[in-house]
Amino acid sequence: MILGRREAIVGIGGLGLAASVFGMTGPADTPVTPEPLKVHAARRGLNFGAMIRTAYLQEPALVKLLLDEADMTVAEVEMKWGAIERTRGNPYYGEADQIARFCKKNSLRLRGHAGFWYRNIPQWAELAMKGPDWRKVLLARVSSMIGHYRGRVSEWDVVNEAIDATDSSFFPRQVPFGRPMDFGYIADAFHAAREADPSTLLFYNDFGMEYDTPLEDQRRAGLLALLDELRRRNAPIQGFGLQAHLGVHRNFNAKKLRAFLGEVAARGVIIRLTEFDVMDRYAAAPPGARDQAVADHARRFLDAAFDEPQVKGLVCWGIRDRDSWVLQEKWTRGLLERPLPWDDQLRRKPLWTAIAAAFDAAPVRQPG
Ligand code: XIL
């Protein structure tokens, strides 16, 4: 059989020879060593984290994997408003506290997720936010949540997913307020967060700015406008979380992503990829080919992202495939997704290797 050029590259790439044989651009790969991802990351001043749920703490194999591979974690739902304050003024921190204690005991950095998000809001708050007191209600949530973890959470997504857009314009997301908004409330939320915890890093977190589409052009413009607005209002923002829910079928443009991250960095904030996973729902191929497509796509994305020195790390939205939120969302039409670095038996997948190789190829930077 005669291999096409692409198959040849994929095949030889596994031996780490593709770059030298074909003179491809980018740093030549040396074979990836089996050290944990956090070790590959730390050599370049980067960090590696993975999202968990309270239930994982009962699974020794998962706990061991997390502690071996990651230096940071984040709770999937346990710190969201709807999980904390089902009845107004009577917060329940039981599960979130379990995760916080686990992190302290094991010296894992903990991301707080999230102060305000338009989803997972308790019913009473959803109603209250439609009334005249919405701003007070929102700021009380941000203050009490972040205040509860004062000194224990290394960084907070103060506000999550507040930008909305069409192909021709961007605007603040209206849900659940049901009225036109401006970005002013986001500035207020950052001020409240700073007061509640003077030492935690304050992030704005969002999705849909990774790819080359008119909609995502608008979303990127919206993010830059938001950062400018926050500065004008002296809001103490220190980080931008780019969720990085990727898809192998999406149109990726490395130059565009690189330019965007440069613009963000020029506004004086650090960047973390906060909810990384790779969907492949249109790639109806055998698992081996799908896993390789996922890995190749991730590598292209991460190489471009890590090129920006203000990108400080990567957090996966989960550990093993079967727990991924992507499966819960039922986008797959029966084809089970394989979006994470570990399979259901907790074996490392090609995506794991792609992440390790991208860390290895990244320029060295100041950790953040
Ligand atoms: C998801 C969780 O993984 C799901 O379990 C939950 O039902 C819905 O939220 N962007 C975010 C995350 O910021 O909080 C979302 O997490 C995934 C998309």
Side-chain angles (χ1 to χ4, degrees):
M1 184 178 70
I2 298 170
L3 291 179
R5 181 178 149 84
R6 192 181 141 67
E7 286 83 342
I9 291 174
V10 169
I12 296 171
L15 302 173
L17 292 175
S20 52
V21 170
F22 292 101
M24 292 167 75
T25 52
D29 286 345
T30 45
V32 167
T33 59
E35 292 145 298
L37 289 179
K38 70 179 177 191
V39 174
H40 289 273
R43 278 196 206 107
R44 300 292 183 264
L46 286 154
N47 92 296
F48 177 76
M51 168 275 267
I52 60 169
R53 317 173 169 161
T54 329
Y56 287 3
L57 304 182
Q58 311 308 319
E59 282 193 58
L62 263 180
V63 169
K64 182 178 180 323
L65 185 153
L66 178 77
L67 296 179
D68 283 350
E69 298 267 358
D71 53 35
M72 178 181 263
T73 192
V74 54
E76 181 167 35
V77 296
E78 290 79 348
M79 292 190 170
K80 289 171 181 168
W81 197 355
I84 297 282
E85 201 177 355
R86 277 194 207 141
T87 36
R88 187 169 193 169
N90 187 21
Y92 162 77
Y93 293 104
E95 301 197 334
D97 280 353
Q98 266 187 57
I99 289 181
R101 273 196 305 271
F102 168 79
C103 289
K104 183 160 175 36
K105 185 172 149 214
N106 294 291
S107 305
L108 266 184
R109 283 156 85 187
L110 176 57
R111 304 196 81 245
H113 178 81
F116 178 70
W117 186 33
Y118 76 98
R119 285 176 63 185
N120 207 332
I121 291 184
Q123 240 169 18
W124 66 264
E126 189 109 19
L127 267 176
M129 304 264 300
K130 295 203 166 97
D133 277 348
W134 66 270
R135 189 182 292 260
K136 241 170 78 188
V137 174
L138 186 157
L139 295 180
R141 149 68 186 170
V142 169
S143 297
S144 63
M145 186 67 203
I146 296 183
H148 179 80
Y149 288 104
R150 191 179 172 111
R152 290 189 286 166
V153 165
S154 61
E155 65 194 44
W156 267 102
D157 291 333
V158 178
V159 176
N160 188 34
E161 301 185 352
I163 294 170
D164 206 352
T166 64
D167 283 2
S168 54
S169 68
F170 63 83
F171 37 89
R173 192 186 287 283
Q174 290 177 26
V175 181
F177 310 90
R179 69 170 80 79
M181 303 288 303
D182 63 47
F183 286 142
Y185 81 92
I186 304 178
D188 294 347
F190 275 83
H191 285 293
R194 177 48 77 232
E195 211 167 290
D197 185 343
S199 62
T200 189
L201 287 178
L202 303 180
F203 275 65
Y204 174 77
N205 197 55
D206 215 330
F207 70 96
M209 301 173 194
E210 296 85 357
Y211 288 103
D212 193 3
T213 67
L215 179 71
E216 301 212 357
D217 282 341
Q218 289 299 326
R219 295 182 54 79
R220 280 185 284 270
L223 188 270
L224 298 179
L226 170 62
L227 292 179
D228 291 341
E229 179 70 18
L230 292 178
R231 287 275 166 231
R232 260 197 299 282
R233 293 175 184 253
N234 283 322
I237 179 166
Q238 293 156 299
F240 166 52
L242 179 60
Q243 293 183 6
H245 293 293
L246 305 186
V248 295
H249 56 291
R250 308 287 317 278
N251 188 25
F252 178 60
N253 177 334
K255 242 171 124 177
K256 217 170 215 185
L257 180 77
R258 186 63 194 80
F260 169 61
L261 296 177
E263 293 271 10
V264 173
R267 285 162 173 79
V269 294
I270 63 165
I271 301 159
R272 207 177 310 283
L273 308 174
T274 51
E275 303 184 12
F276 182 85
D277 50 25
V278 188
M279 309 175 204
D280 73 322
R281 65 183 181 279
Y282 301 126
R290 290 173 61 196
D291 285 352
Q292 196 56 50
V294 160
D296 291 346
H297 187 85
R299 180 69 200 274
R300 284 172 60 218
F301 179 87
L302 293 176
D303 280 350
F306 292 160
D307 208 26
E308 167 52 58
Q310 290 305 107
V311 171
K312 302 301 187 185
L314 169 70
V315 179
C316 283
W317 202 243
I319 296 175
R320 69 183 158 206
D321 288 331
R322 75 159 188 255
D323 296 336
S324 169
W325 77 295
V326 170
L327 275 71
Q328 301 163 25
E329 299 280 329
K330 301 206 179 359
W331 287 316
T332 54
R333 297 184 209 106
L335 183 77
L336 289 188
E337 308 252 356
R338 303 172 59 81
L340 289 166
W342 289 272
D343 71 10
D344 295 344
Q345 285 72 47
L346 301 182
R347 290 176 305 217
R348 290 170 171 176
K349 293 167 51 200
L351 181 56
W352 184 97
T353 309
I355 296 171
F359 282 142
D360 291 353
V364 175
R365 70 213 59 217
Q366 277 296 98

